[in-house]
Amino acid sequence: MDFRLTDDQRALQAGMRSLLAARHPRERLRALADSPPPAGPRAPDRALWRALGEAGFFSLRLAEKDGGVGLGMPEAVLLFEEAGRALLPGPLVATHLAAGLVEGAAEGNCVVTALDGPGAAEHLASAEAVLLLDGPAARLLHTGAGGAPRALRARPVRCVDPTTPLHLVRQLPRAPDGGVPGLPADAARMRREAALLTAAQQLGSAFRTVELAVSHARQRAQFGRPVGGFQAVQHLCAEMLVRAELARAAVYAASLSVEPDEPAEIAAAKLLADSAAVRNARDCLQVHGGLGFTWESDVHLHLKRAWLRLRQWQSSADSEELLANTLIRDASHIPGRHPANDATDVLDAENVTA
C-alpha cells in the first residue's frame, strides 16, 4: 500500500495551510485564547466559517452533481490534519458530516454540532442544528442559533480548552417518537468517520508540537550551547517524531478503508493519534522546561485541545475495548482455545484465576 501523497493531494494540503495562515494566524489564536470570556457564548468566527465553505472544506466529499468537490476521505484527512495543526476551533467535524444533509452546512453558512449520546457538546449555543448519532440512523435537531441548549436542557460547563465552549447534555430526545426527524444517513458510519477526522486533527497537533520542540531546542541555550545539543533533549524530540509518524501511517491507512466491517483500523488510528497528540505535547513542555509552563507558549493550547479530543467520538477506553475484542475474535480459530465472548469475559476470567 502506497501512502505517498500525489501532487494534487500535496497542492490541496498546501492550499489549506496557506488559507489558515492567512485567515487564522497564530496572533488570532492567541487573541482568542487570551481574551476574557465574552458575556455570551464564545462562537466560531462566521467569516472564517464561510471562507472554509467557499474553499470546499465542508463539501469536500459531496459529489460534484450535488455542489461538492467530489473527493474522498484521504483528502479530508489531509485538510483536518492542517486544521489540527493550526488549532482551528469550532465543530468542524460535525459541520463537515452535515454537508448535504443540513441546508447551509456545505457553504459554511450554518454551524452544526453533534452528539453520539449524553455528554458534552462543543459550541452548542452557537449551532443552528445538532446531529444526533445515538441510534442506527442519524437524526437532526434543527433549533436555530442559540436554541439548542434550551431544546436539549443543557447547561454550560467549564472546558480546559479556552477556545471551545462546552454544554453538558444529560439526555437526548428519544427515537423515533422524540419529534426529531431522521436523516438518510447511517449513524454508525458517521461516528466512525467522525472518529477518523478527529484523529487527523490530533495528528496535526502532534506534528506541530514536534516543530515547536525542535525550534525551541535549537534556539534556547544553556551552558553556552543550544539545549538541542544535549542527548536527553535529542531523545525526547526523536521519540515525539516516531509517535507522530506511527500515528500518521495508521490514520492514512484507515482513511483508505472506512468500511462498515473494518472499525478496528479506525480505532487503532484514533488510539495512536490520541497518544501522539497528548504525549508529544507533554514532551514538548519538557523540552521547553520552565518556559513551557507559562501562558505565553502555544504548547499548553495543544495539550488542552488534545485532552478534549481524546474524549470525543471514540475515547481511548472504547478504542482499546474494540481492538481487544477484535484480537480475541481473530484468535478464536486457534485449536484448543475456548473462545471468549468479549474482552470483558477475558478480564473476568483473569480476575477469577487471580
Side-chain angles (χ1 to χ4, degrees):
M1 188 176 292
D2 189 356
F3 293 151
R4 288 176 296 184
L5 303 184
T6 64
D7 291 342
D8 288 343
Q9 289 173 330
R10 290 185 186 280
L12 182 69
Q13 191 177 38
M16 182 66 182
R17 186 170 295 191
S18 298
L19 171 66
L20 293 181
R23 303 301 297 262
H24 184 67
R26 178 183 180 275
E27 293 74 18
R28 193 176 188 86
L29 172 68
R30 294 302 317 194
L32 188 63
D34 296 344
S35 61
R42 195 185 295 275
D45 183 342
R46 293 285 180 163
L48 174 59
W49 215 252
R50 284 191 291 273
L52 291 172
E54 292 171 0
F57 181 84
F58 299 119
S59 61
L60 187 78
R61 293 188 298 136
L62 274 183
E64 293 185 31
K65 64 181 178 60
D66 298 324
V69 183
L71 297 178
M73 183 58 80
E75 287 76 20
V77 160
L78 293 178
L79 297 194
F80 275 82
E81 182 182 344
E82 290 302 315
R85 185 178 181 278
L87 287 179
L88 188 62
L92 300 166
V93 171
T95 306
H96 178 88
L97 293 177
L101 300 173
V102 180
E103 185 178 356
E107 297 80 12
N109 296 324
C110 177
V111 175
V112 183
T113 190
L115 280 162
D116 59 351
E122 62 173 323
H123 294 275
L124 189 66
S126 54
E128 282 93 359
V130 184
L131 281 177
L132 303 179
L133 307 178
D134 57 328
R139 296 180 293 152
L140 177 65
L141 181 65
H142 209 298
T143 62
R150 184 175 181 180
L152 292 170
R153 299 179 181 178
R155 64 177 178 84
V157 292
R158 295 186 64 184
C159 179
V160 66
D161 178 11
T163 63
T164 305
L166 291 181
H167 277 76
L168 181 62
V169 179
R170 295 193 178 279
Q171 186 175 5
L172 301 189
R174 289 184 303 170
D177 58 345
V180 182
L183 295 171
D186 179 3
R189 185 183 184 91
M190 294 177 79
R191 288 196 297 270
R192 286 193 294 274
E193 292 177 352
L196 181 56
L197 295 175
T198 304
Q201 292 180 83
Q202 294 281 56
L203 178 63
S205 179
F207 272 107
R208 180 57 184 154
T209 50
V210 174
E211 295 172 2
L212 292 173
V214 171
S215 175
H216 183 79
R218 285 174 173 167
Q219 297 175 9
R220 179 75 170 177
Q222 288 286 338
F223 308 109
R225 59 172 176 163
V227 297
F230 296 102
Q231 196 173 47
V233 176
Q234 293 173 359
H235 283 182
L236 276 178
C237 294
E239 289 168 357
M240 291 171 65
L241 181 61
V242 169
R243 281 190 215 110
E245 290 290 355
L246 283 174
R248 175 150 62 186
V251 171
Y252 284 10
S255 73
L256 298 172
S257 59
V258 186
E259 298 299 333
D261 56 347
E262 293 293 342
E265 292 198 18
I266 293 178
K270 180 69 163 52
L271 194 61
L272 286 171
D274 284 341
S275 175
V278 173
R279 295 179 66 186
N280 277 13
R282 285 177 172 165
D283 283 353
C284 187
L285 285 174
Q286 289 290 326
V287 173
H288 277 70
L291 186 64
F293 289 89
T294 65
W295 186 259
E296 288 76 16
S297 172
D298 291 349
V299 183
H300 76 99
L301 296 175
H302 281 276
L303 180 57
K304 291 169 179 173
R305 187 69 67 84
W307 278 335
L308 177 67
R309 294 196 192 110
L310 184 70
R311 298 182 177 278
Q312 288 181 321
W313 294 110
Q314 190 160 300
S315 68
S316 297
D318 292 338
S319 296
E320 290 169 352
E321 181 80 9
L322 193 153
L323 289 172
N325 283 325
T326 302
L327 290 173
I328 291 170
R329 183 197 63 200
D330 292 346
S332 61
H333 67 281
I334 298 176
R337 183 180 178 87
H338 180 69
N341 291 329
D342 56 26
T344 307
D345 287 354
V346 173
L347 295 175
D348 289 344
E350 290 177 348
N351 290 336
V352 170
T353 303

